[in-house]
Amino acid sequence: MRILALDDEKIALEGLVKSIKEAEPTAEVHGFKKASEAMEFFKETPCDIVFLDIQMRSINGVTLAKEMKLLRPEVNIIFATGYSDYMEAAFALHASGYLIKPITTKKVRAELDDLRHPVERASYKRVTIYTFGNFEVYVDGKPLLFKYERTKEMLAYLVDRQGAFCSNGEIMAALWEDERRSSYLGNLKKDLLDTLRERDCEQMVETGWNKLRIEPELVECDYFAWMAGEPQAINRYRGEYMSQYGWAEFTNARIYEGQQALHKNQ
């Protein structure tokens, strides 16, 4: 799901984008302050939903919505404004929704649940994780880079646990065997969360009291797809799983055995 948000007020735009991301964490959200830039993006990039302010300095949002609908009639236009004066014009345009500011996550969620032109949610996931071979993570097609190498390994371990909460002790045991490095682990957790926040994908990791987990439904991962029995993932496995980490050998053995059983049953 790709969503465009336009508001020429910086604070209002930030609040709108935040509410959209909280309401639909898997969505690809693009925020714009300038109508010209938003329109240029819209012309080049198919969008499922557009949130538009109405009273803007350079253009009226209803006018812009008409231009967008001419280009893509099936786009869902949701007006987000501080005024109720334009409701009649909005619905004459067959808008999907009309939100009165202040915008909240609850209001956005309600509109997403009642779109005029339904779209498939979670069809686009920004984070792609590869485990068959070496462990690698990409966000929007670009590699996710951390300050510490161990941070990447910690994330790999969370992926290996398939969404189960992992305690600090469990993580330290995996990364350093019998050594306890609580202070270093704290640095790794900060590095992980800071890096994800910079790339606007912090929702993929859930934190708790002295524990962490990954949100499997927010990422594309070959291992998760293999566990779900997806043929493409089964065909991609070539006997290697997170090859750079010794602790991953146990999971690799289990995958290998499962793969052998699948071939015997074919």
Side-chain angles (χ1 to χ4, degrees):
M1 180 185 292
R2 183 177 289 116
I3 300 175
L4 184 155
L6 172 63
D7 195 306
D8 62 355
E9 296 292 337
K10 181 176 184 293
I11 295 177
L13 177 62
E14 290 174 350
L16 175 60
V17 169
K18 180 175 182 290
S19 294
I20 294 170
K21 288 182 176 180
E22 289 177 349
E24 191 63 54
T26 62
E28 176 188 349
V29 184
H30 299 269
F32 296 91
K33 279 184 60 182
K34 294 182 179 181
S36 58
E37 294 178 356
M39 194 62 187
E40 182 179 352
F41 178 85
F42 184 82
K43 287 177 179 177
E44 298 177 354
T45 310
C47 295
D48 301 300
I49 305 165
V50 175
F51 284 82
L52 287 179
D53 187 18
I54 293 182
Q55 289 279 33
M56 294 182 285
R57 287 181 287 272
S58 61
I59 191 172
N60 181 282
V62 175
T63 301
L64 185 62
K66 289 178 180 178
E67 295 180 17
M68 290 180 164
K69 293 281 281 185
L70 285 174
L71 289 171
R72 295 194 172 89
E74 297 300 307
V75 66
N76 290 284
I77 301 290
I78 299 174
F79 291 105
T81 178
Y83 306 91
S84 60
D85 308 24
Y86 296 92
M87 279 190 176
E88 186 176 347
F91 289 112
L93 188 64
H94 301 295
S96 181
Y98 196 101
L99 296 177
I100 300 294
K101 295 179 180 178
I103 305 302
T104 65
T105 301
K106 184 177 180 180
K107 289 180 180 179
V108 171
R109 179 71 267 165
E111 293 300 331
L112 294 179
D113 286 337
D114 190 29
L115 295 172
R116 179 177 288 273
H117 305 290
V119 296
E120 182 181 352
R121 289 195 178 89
S123 60
Y124 176 87
K125 295 180 181 178
R126 298 179 57 229
V127 181
T128 303
I129 298 175
Y130 297 104
T131 64
F132 295 161
N134 282 337
F135 175 77
E136 301 295 344
V137 185
Y138 294 85
V139 178
D140 298 328
K142 297 179 181 179
L144 191 61
L145 303 176
F146 298 100
K147 182 178 179 181
Y148 307 107
E149 279 295 323
R150 289 287 190 182
T151 305
K152 182 178 179 180
E153 183 175 0
M154 180 174 67
L155 179 57
Y157 185 74
L158 298 180
V159 172
D160 183 75
R161 298 288 291 129
Q162 304 175 58
F165 268 113
C166 302
S167 68
N168 288 355
E170 181 183 351
I171 295 171
M172 286 188 284
L175 270 58
W176 298 294
E177 297 183 350
D178 296 331
E179 297 183 60
R180 294 189 63 84
R181 301 189 183 184
S182 300
S183 178
Y184 190 15
L185 179 63
N187 291 337
L188 299 187
K189 291 168 76 172
K190 184 178 186 303
D191 182 29
L192 174 65
L193 297 175
D194 286 349
T195 303
L196 294 178
R197 195 172 297 113
E198 288 173 3
R199 301 291 292 273
D200 291 325
C201 56
E202 64 269 26
Q203 301 95 339
M204 65 177 277
V205 170
E206 181 182 356
T207 61
W209 180 253
N210 291 327
K211 58 186 180 180
L212 287 173
R213 69 181 287 268
I214 193 169
E215 295 273 9
E217 63 274 15
L218 299 186
V219 303
E220 294 286 354
C221 176
D222 50 7
Y223 176 42
F224 298 161
W226 188 93
M227 292 294 293
E230 295 182 15
Q232 186 175 2
I234 292 171
N235 293 334
R236 189 174 181 277
Y237 177 72
R238 292 292 184 270
E240 293 185 329
Y241 170 82
M242 298 194 189
S243 302
Q244 67 266 57
Y245 306 128
W247 49 260
E249 293 177 2
F250 298 101
T251 301
N252 188 42
R254 189 175 70 251
I255 296 173
Y256 181 81
E257 291 176 0
Q259 192 87 348
Q260 294 299 106
L262 286 171
H263 290 320
K264 286 182 180 179
N265 293 329
Q266 289 179 347

